[in-house]
Amino acid sequence: MARTYGSWTGGTLTPRTFLKPHHVAAVVFHPAWIPPSLDPSVERLKRIRVIAGAVASVGVYTVLEGGFDLTELLENALTASAVLLFLTPLTVGVMLFVWRRTGTVRQLRVPLLNSLKLLLLFIGCVVTVVLLAQMTNASGSILMILGVGATMMWMLIFVAYGAVRVSGNFFGTAAVHRCLPALLATVTSWLMAIPDLVTGDLHGLGLTMGVVFILGAPVTVTAIALLETGRLKRRYGIRLATHPASLPPVPGPVPPVPPTGLPHVPPQGNPYAPAHPRPPYVPGAGGNPYATGAGGSPYAPGAGGNPYAPQPPYSPQGPYSPHGPYGG
């Protein structure tokens, strides 16, 4: 039997899975302890938010202006990781200060530690990819380039898929509070855009295109985050300013529809049917239901006979019998 690993992966990660880095990333960067989405509409908004956030993280304006550069992309990822390492704990700390009136930090210790582990794991993977890329570029040995390069490509796919996952769940902070991922995405996208706005660095683009690409991502992320938190508030009573321990319980999963028949309707039968029905006119054992007593019925000459079967008009002991009507 294949060996499985811990509750972090939910027992779905096996040695054979490591041949597919995107499957490993889906399991590692979206752990089993992250709660599922409450409804499909919120999940769709989250996916759109991920796409808009990717525009701010990767820097599409540099790609459009100067072409795709893997080294520059890795440097941007390393810078974004440093920002996340500072910004995520700071934002969560501010919210813990806001929640102090309705709850305690001790109640959130386990999900907070899990989210911190996921954040450090992702940043460690990004740093590893950058170091492998530098080793590949600096190495003069073909065997070294092939070995390290293959590992770097595996890690690059792993980190790329992992970035999509952590952008959706934002390091599992939904386990702390359902509204935290939307808040963190908004704060991060604006913090990535503010330096360019302050310095006026449009990365070689014109004023119009520069403003569109700099402000487009944070504005889009903010609008989608507001829609997401608004739906959580209206449909489930989840408010960002309320401590998670004081929030109303969320609805459980919808029960599955029965495989046959109409949903939630038990199989219908005849309420007036007898417990052990039997045919009323079966010849032989079972008899005529209208027979009376041991003498039988004139309509049932034999045991269990048919009452409607034709009968001879005269009995063998009739008046034309050799023995006469009175015997003899």
Side-chain angles (χ1 to χ4, degrees):
M1 180 181 294
R3 182 183 175 188
T4 57
Y5 299 86
S7 60
W8 185 283
T9 62
T12 59
L13 189 61
T14 62
R16 185 176 299 179
T17 313
F18 283 90
L19 298 176
K20 302 176 181 179
H22 57 289
H23 288 176
V24 181
V27 174
V28 172
F29 291 112
H30 193 85
W33 46 263
I34 296 180
S37 180
L38 291 177
D39 60 41
S41 61
V42 175
E43 187 64 24
R44 285 192 296 268
L45 289 175
K46 189 179 297 184
R47 291 177 182 176
I48 299 175
R49 173 169 56 80
V50 170
I51 297 174
V55 175
S57 300
V58 176
V60 176
Y61 44 83
T62 59
V63 176
L64 293 178
E65 180 65 19
F68 181 78
D69 187 356
L70 179 60
T71 304
E72 184 178 0
L73 178 62
L74 293 177
E75 291 176 356
N76 290 341
L78 192 60
T79 303
S81 299
V83 172
L84 291 174
L85 182 60
F86 167 76
L87 185 63
T88 302
L90 179 62
T91 305
V92 174
V94 171
M95 293 309 303
L96 290 176
F97 180 78
V98 173
W99 296 335
R100 75 190 189 281
R101 297 180 179 178
T102 54
T104 62
V105 178
R106 184 181 297 273
Q107 296 172 291
L108 307 175
R109 181 177 57 184
V110 173
L112 285 173
L113 290 177
N114 286 337
S115 298
L116 181 60
K117 292 176 185 177
L118 187 56
L119 172 63
L120 296 177
L121 175 62
F122 177 75
I123 294 176
C125 291
V126 172
V127 174
T128 302
V129 171
V130 174
L131 293 177
L132 289 174
Q134 294 176 353
M135 291 176 60
T136 304
N137 294 333
S139 177
S141 172
I142 297 179
L143 294 178
M144 188 70 174
I145 292 176
L146 292 177
V148 178
T151 305
M152 186 198 70
M153 291 305 298
W154 191 97
M155 287 294 300
L156 187 61
I157 298 174
F158 175 71
V159 171
Y161 276 87
V164 175
R165 289 291 180 173
V166 297
S167 297
N169 58 53
F170 226 96
F171 308 107
T173 49
V176 181
H177 196 291
R178 294 276 184 175
C179 295
L180 265 183
L183 174 66
L184 289 170
T186 302
V187 174
T188 303
S189 61
W190 277 106
L191 187 61
M192 296 291 290
I194 285 177
D196 293 335
L197 293 175
V198 173
T199 60
D201 184 9
L202 302 180
H203 299 271
L205 297 175
L207 178 62
T208 302
M209 293 296 295
V211 172
V212 168
F213 279 109
I214 290 175
L215 292 181
V219 170
T220 304
V221 171
T222 302
I224 296 173
L226 290 175
L227 285 175
E228 184 178 342
T229 54
R231 290 191 179 185
L232 290 174
K233 177 182 177 181
R234 292 192 305 270
R235 297 183 179 183
Y236 306 102
I238 299 177
R239 301 172 181 269
L240 178 61
T242 305
H243 191 280
S246 303
L247 292 173
V250 297
V254 179
V257 178
T260 57
L262 296 176
H264 311 297
V265 177
Q268 301 297 309
N270 183 4
Y272 306 105
H276 301 285
R278 62 178 181 175
Y281 309 119
V282 177
N288 178 13
Y290 304 106
T292 57
S297 167
Y299 301 103
N306 182 357
Y308 304 106
Q311 303 295 328
Y314 304 106
S315 144
Q317 302 296 328
Y320 302 102
S321 167
H323 302 288
Y326 301 106

